[in-house]
Amino acid sequence: MFGTTAPLPLFAFAPFDWFLDDAFGSFMDVLARVLGMPALEYAFMQRAYLAAICIGVIGPLVGTFLVHREMSMIADTLAHTAFAGVAVGLFVNNALSLSLAPIHSALVVAVGTALLVELLVQYGDVSTDTSLAMVLTGGFALGSVLITATDGGIAVGIDAYLFGSLATVSKASVGLLVLMTGLVSAVVAVAYRPLLYVTFDATAARAAGLSVTWYNRLMVVLTALVVVSAMQVMGVILVAALLVIPVATADGSRSFKRSLLAGVLVAEITVVTGVTLSYQYGSAAGGTIVLTGIGLYVLSLGYRRLGIRTRMRHRTGRGRLGRVFERVRGNATGEPKADGGSDDERR
């Protein structure tokens, strides 16, 4: 995605070129004139916005399941092992004078690591937290060793993967991200009900005949795809945030599906705002997006707390007024008795 990136197959580029240049590009040109933002006409910014929009879709789409499973840390673990995959690709290119795309090696390593985590939990007699900690530190250690093995020769190339960048998002990397967005969205749509069942009650899902192990592996593989795809904008260090923060911000919806859709909406607002601020102020794209997401989370949390307090006061006040009104009305009219009189009349 950064630096040397192998082109996508030619058959994939023909429709994508039309979409990026004629459809999405024309839309962004019109939007630039309407909003008075010339930056939207730049080709690299159009690629950056399209990449960010795709990340805003697939991040919460997978992250919602992870958060409700209390497996948010697996995204951070896979991001660090993807860093090792990037280092492997850059090391091979430096040592053997090849042109292997680091994103491809990162994808292979991240998917392999996702399956390794599941195997450690299932057969290694270790807890999920322990396996995640070992894989996370091991992946980052491998990456750092490979960087230093070349006397820092690939350290410059690795920086873009660590922190993300808008200017280096290529057409090939955006095409791959669009492809991954379609793939992840399709898989989640097809396997939505089984994944939902396994997420909230794995025991009942197993009793119903669902392969819980298979769906767990499917989820971690999808997480690996999302993490590697989002590295181009977010960077390895911060990519996991977009799988968690929008979901936490949208928490409180009445159903899982509404929570998922709200998470996607929050993520889109976050990435579009973050990319715009990053360009305007020359700040790191990943950090700006994450800080924007945290700001939205704080606002959402404050709004929910304020709403809860307002409802509590309203209910308490209504209860007190209601009791006073009933007491006054009872004293004014009295209760009719069987003889046609009332308590007040007898008094």
Side-chain angles (χ1 to χ4, degrees):
M1 288 185 182
F2 303 95
T4 303
T5 305
L8 290 176
L10 293 178
F11 72 87
F13 261 122
F16 180 70
D17 278 342
W18 171 85
F19 172 75
L20 181 61
D21 297 332
D22 298 334
F24 187 76
S26 299
F27 169 75
M28 294 296 286
D29 291 341
V30 172
L31 197 62
R33 290 190 291 270
V34 172
L35 299 179
M37 296 177 60
L40 299 181
E41 296 180 337
Y42 301 154
F44 81 94
M45 285 300 295
Q46 293 178 358
R47 293 194 297 269
Y49 275 111
L50 181 57
I53 290 171
C54 291
I55 296 170
V57 172
I58 59 179
L61 205 59
V62 174
T64 304
F65 290 96
L66 296 179
V67 169
H68 284 84
R69 290 184 180 200
E70 298 183 351
M71 291 180 60
S72 304
M73 283 303 299
I74 195 172
D76 198 34
T77 300
L78 296 180
H80 283 75
T81 56
F83 165 76
V86 169
V88 168
L90 294 175
F91 177 81
V92 170
N93 291 341
N94 184 272
L96 303 179
S97 299
L98 298 178
S99 58
L100 174 67
I103 191 62
H104 296 164
S105 58
L107 186 60
V108 172
V109 172
V111 171
T113 302
L115 297 176
L116 176 62
V117 170
E118 278 298 306
L119 291 176
L120 284 175
V121 174
Q122 188 173 0
Y123 300 108
D125 195 24
V126 293
S127 65
T128 302
D129 290 342
T130 303
S131 62
L132 290 177
M134 289 191 297
V135 173
L136 185 151
T137 53
F140 210 74
L142 176 61
S144 61
V145 167
L146 291 177
I147 291 174
T148 56
T150 59
D151 296 328
I154 63 175
V156 176
I158 207 75
D159 285 346
Y161 293 93
L162 286 174
F163 304 107
S165 174
L166 298 180
T168 54
V169 179
S170 65
K171 181 181 291 188
S173 62
V174 177
L176 180 62
L177 184 51
V178 171
L179 180 64
M180 288 297 178
T181 301
L183 176 63
V184 171
S185 301
V187 171
V188 172
V190 171
Y192 175 78
R193 289 188 178 277
L195 287 174
L196 183 63
Y197 205 178
V198 171
T199 296
F200 285 98
D201 197 340
T203 302
R206 190 175 289 107
L210 293 177
S211 177
V212 174
T213 300
W214 191 89
Y215 283 107
N216 284 338
R217 292 175 181 174
L218 175 64
M219 180 52 59
V220 295
V221 169
L222 290 176
T223 305
L225 296 179
V226 171
V227 166
V228 174
S229 300
M231 282 196 309
Q232 57 182 334
V233 174
M234 298 297 297
V236 168
I237 298 177
L238 299 173
V239 66
L242 210 58
L243 281 78
V244 177
I245 295 177
V247 178
T249 304
D251 188 31
S253 300
R254 295 184 178 181
S255 69
F256 184 85
K257 185 174 293 186
R258 289 184 180 180
S259 177
L260 191 152
L261 295 176
V264 171
L265 178 61
V266 171
E268 293 296 348
I269 296 174
T270 300
V271 294
V272 171
T273 304
V275 167
T276 304
L277 294 176
S278 175
Y279 173 79
Q280 292 290 337
Y281 297 102
S283 56
T288 307
I289 292 172
V290 171
L291 290 177
T292 302
I294 292 175
L296 291 177
Y297 171 74
V298 172
L299 290 177
S300 172
L301 184 62
Y303 175 78
R304 290 200 296 266
R305 292 294 178 88
L306 182 62
I308 291 174
R309 291 180 180 179
T310 302
R311 287 195 297 270
M312 290 294 292
R313 290 175 181 175
H314 178 67
R315 290 175 181 175
T316 303
R318 184 176 60 184
R320 290 174 179 173
L321 288 176
R323 287 194 296 270
V324 171
F325 177 74
E326 290 293 336
R327 194 172 299 169
V328 171
R329 186 177 63 179
N331 291 337
T333 60
E335 282 295 324
K337 298 299 180 181
D339 59 0
S342 67
D343 292 337
D344 293 338
E345 290 175 351
R346 283 197 297 272
R347 293 192 191 101

